Amino acid sequence: MTPRTTRSPDCTTRLAELVGRLPLAEKVHLLTGETAFTLPGSDRIGLAPLAFSDGPTGVRGLKFVGGDAVALFPSATLIAGAGAWDDGIAEEVGRMLAEEAQRQHIHVVLGPTVNLHRSPLGGRLFEAYSEDPYLTGRTAAAYVRGMQQRGTAACLKHLVANESETLRNFMDSRVSETALRELYLLPFEMAVQDAGAWSMMAAYNDVNGVPATEQDHVQNGIVKGEWGWDGLIMSDWFATKRTAASANGGLDLVMPGPDGPWGDRLVAAVRAGEVAEEAVDDHVVRLLRLADRVGGLTPEGPEPRRWAQDLPAVDSPVRQEQLRRIAARGMTVVANNGVLPLAADGRADGAVALIGRHAIDTVDMGGGSATVNPPYQSTVAEGLTALLGDRVRVTDGVAVRSRPVAADPAFLTDPATGAPGMQVVLLAADGTELSRYHSDSSAISIGRDDDLDQDPATAVLTTTLANDAGPVLLGAIGAGAWTVAGGAGEITARLRFAGKDPGETMLRPPAFAGTVDLPAAATVTATVALDPVDWRELLLGDPALGLAEESHLLDMTALGLTALVAAPAPRPDDELIAAAEAAAASAGTAVVVVGLTEEDETEAADKQTLALPGRQDELVARVAAAAGRTVVVVNAATPVLMPWLAEVDAVLVAGLPGQEGGHAVAAALTGALEPAGRLVTSWPAADGAAPAWDVVPGEDLVLPYDDGTFIGHRGYHAGHAPAPLFWFGHGLGYGTWEYGTVQAHEGGAGLEVTVEVTNTSARDSRETVQVYLEPAEEDQPIRLVGYRGADVAAGAAAVVPVTCDDRLLRRWDEATGTWAPLAGGGELVVARGLGDVRARVSLA
Ligand code: BGC
């Protein structure tokens, strides 16, 4: 299908005419979801019920948990870093996601996430591209282009200033107009101007005292007004706080449905003159325009969208190749004394001791709404063994998880069906059986994905474990009074939601676990007396939160996530460290895989430290002391501290690499694929040593963005924090580079720079030529203004032209409320990250 991106006035007239056929109540009805991820259709005007799905790195489908298997992509940080900031890869990802969407008949993919990495503590940074607005905007534009070319709408999220998760429904990001324009809105602006994104999502937080869903200034004033954008703005899920203020403030669609603050309340607000009917009409026109763009509007008759057939299966060789290549090429070599790439033939390196919990339980995705149900996930142990065979000896590492996690379904068998998973029975308060079914997953979402006559009071989960006789880690996740019984053992707990974010019922529910001695192949029964929270009482009872009676948040009555915890009990850390030391001492090279988990890099929570969880730092240090050569693989999307850096030979940042992750790490380590990534974020040297750090709002719920436009490398360069451990833009790849002549001139496309680079290494490689501007004005930060990747053969030279983007050569003038060009002058800085400057050119 050919998407239509340019709208003629005729088209808008046609849409307005369709809207004119609908009575007010019907128009309003179209402006709230029908279910969690679908919209109502209308036969009267040929509007199909549109389907939405998360998310940025995989198209999950209509179910929040337990849906069909879908392809799991590498984290956004790898996509942005991939192939040395390669627009082509981001565009390819967009095309692939569109195919994933088509297979599931999804019209709108809820991504990309274009919020910035303001503080490295942000829990959701793995979903977002970078600390830099220009890299973020360019990557997002390429992704959107790829996706929308295939007729699937992208959704830029979250508008705006949503850089952290703590108290996200209530906090107020206080940000200057200058920082808003120059930093936080810039990726949205670029993806609109350069790729014509068809939709956006308004954030949970307030911005300068006004909820994002009610931001007349941002939504009506800037996005729809100044930018002339004709797309649709939907709310984040349950984010809409007030009826008239949001409808007047530029929000077009409330999600999810069917309840919410619009419906009858909005009809009444129009009748009372609080909202003009023209405003409602404009929202519906935008909705119809979106439907038209994705093939969901056929007023002339029943001509349903034809979905593409013959799409690659989620585990097909095509997808394997793509996902492995994209992940590997996004990985970044941040330190290397020559030990990488590992010799694939084994002559030089001898045995490889592969060590770490992340080697055998590789974390391929982050937590929250970006999570998908992948067909498989590969581990580094599988990947490296596939490439190096029995040279690889795998040793477990220390514990890494900060919270109990849902059981691996492969460890469970449903006694009723004999299939992997568990048997679920839901009971009413009087003991009546409401539902009985098999679940492939150990996690279920009671009440959200079920269609029950009445609310369940009790859930019973039964499964047979694939355990040996002895200790098993057993427990549960989800609010309620739990009894988990197996063999002669039984553990109980009363779990309650502690936070103020109803989203936590799904995204961060309470959990417990303990070690129980069980006979082999034990059958376990977990019974929970469910305990839904009365959010109305809790949230309206706290005046400081300032919630209106109609706030959509109060509709979040679903019970949330309920899951069984069951895993072989881990060996004590001391034993594991001793075994790792012994393995390292007897091998030529030790590869230690460390990292974060889905509990650390997740929606609905921020981190409190950049230190690796558990005793992982000690593990690395002890292995490095025992091994001849030590390579560390960091399996995390965002910065971690490296107190052991000086003691190891190489460090590969592997991100959260998606379903092909383990194979991608192996390909990167051996050089089968070059890890050509460049860091998308600066890595601080210590906790707190960053230009923007705090993510916890004050008692007044305000989070001041006092750092202005000096976040990330801009702030480090200005001396607002000690120099980082690794700069934004740093990345060694496997080539070595000499920089030659650099020339700047005004060309047809504005300021252009040509940079001569020579690949002085013995292998073909890829360089990212990065151009920064250090403006003449004292109050202006240095900033990335252009970049281009170049593939250069071993020993060859290339002249790389880089265009500086005009949108980085202007400043927001708060006095006049307009853009002004920078004063001119200053210096262009050509650098491999600002810690490795290769040339400077003065501008006249
Ligand atoms: C997230 C959005 C997501 C939505 C739907 C929210 O919790 O903030 O990014 O698209 O849920 O799952």
Side-chain angles (χ1 to χ4, degrees), residues 27 172 229 249 403 540:
K27 290 188 279 196
D172 179 16
W229 184 66
R403 290 156 48 83
L540 287 180

Side-chain angles (χ1 to χ4, degrees), residues 171-254:
M171 58 86 73
D172 179 16
S173 299
R174 286 281 166 89
V175 52
S176 71
E177 187 69 14
T178 301
L180 200 60
R181 302 270 187 162
E182 293 184 13
L183 290 187
Y184 299 103
L185 282 170
L186 184 60
F188 291 90
E189 184 182 2
M190 289 176 67
V192 162
Q193 283 181 352
D194 301 352
W198 289 335
S199 72
M200 295 190 195
M201 187 187 292
Y204 286 116
N205 51 286
D206 293 2
V207 186
N208 295 329
V210 178
T213 47
E214 301 173 11
Q215 270 286 343
D216 178 60
H217 173 55
V218 171
Q219 299 180 137
N220 286 331
I222 301 175
V223 175
K224 295 180 179 177
E226 289 176 30
W227 300 349
W229 184 66
D230 65 4
L232 168 133
I233 303 180
M234 68 185 78
S235 70
D236 200 340
W237 270 231
F238 299 101
T240 313
K241 292 178 176 148
R242 293 183 303 168
T243 308
S246 53
N248 288 332
L251 186 75
D252 299 306
L253 173 68
V254 167

Side-chain angles (χ1 to χ4, degrees), residues 37 54 110 124 157-158 168 201 204 236-237 369 603:
F37 290 103
D54 287 301
L110 304 174
R124 226 176 155 175
K157 66 190 191 183
H158 309 81
R168 62 184 179 161
M201 187 187 292
Y204 286 116
D236 200 340
W237 270 231
S369 62
E603 183 176 336

Side-chain angles (χ1 to χ4, degrees), residues 101-179:
Q102 298 217 20
R103 201 184 50 252
Q104 301 174 76
H105 297 191
I106 298 291
H107 300 89
V108 181
V109 170
L110 304 174
T113 304
V114 298
N115 300 117
L116 300 184
H117 297 189
R118 175 176 168 268
S119 160
L121 294 177
R124 226 176 155 175
L125 304 189
F126 73 95
E127 269 188 61
Y129 295 123
S130 170
E131 72 186 21
D132 182 75
Y134 178 60
L135 176 60
T136 301
R138 245 174 85 170
T139 308
Y143 172 110
V144 170
R145 227 174 2 251
M147 183 176 285
Q148 296 192 168
Q149 271 164 5
R150 300 268 164 121
T152 300
C155 178
L156 308 174
K157 66 190 191 183
H158 309 81
L159 188 71
V160 61
N162 177 197
E163 273 66 39
S164 52
E165 294 296 286
T166 307
L167 287 165
R168 62 184 179 161
N169 288 288
F170 313 105
M171 58 86 73
D172 179 16
S173 299
R174 286 281 166 89
V175 52
S176 71
E177 187 69 14
T178 301

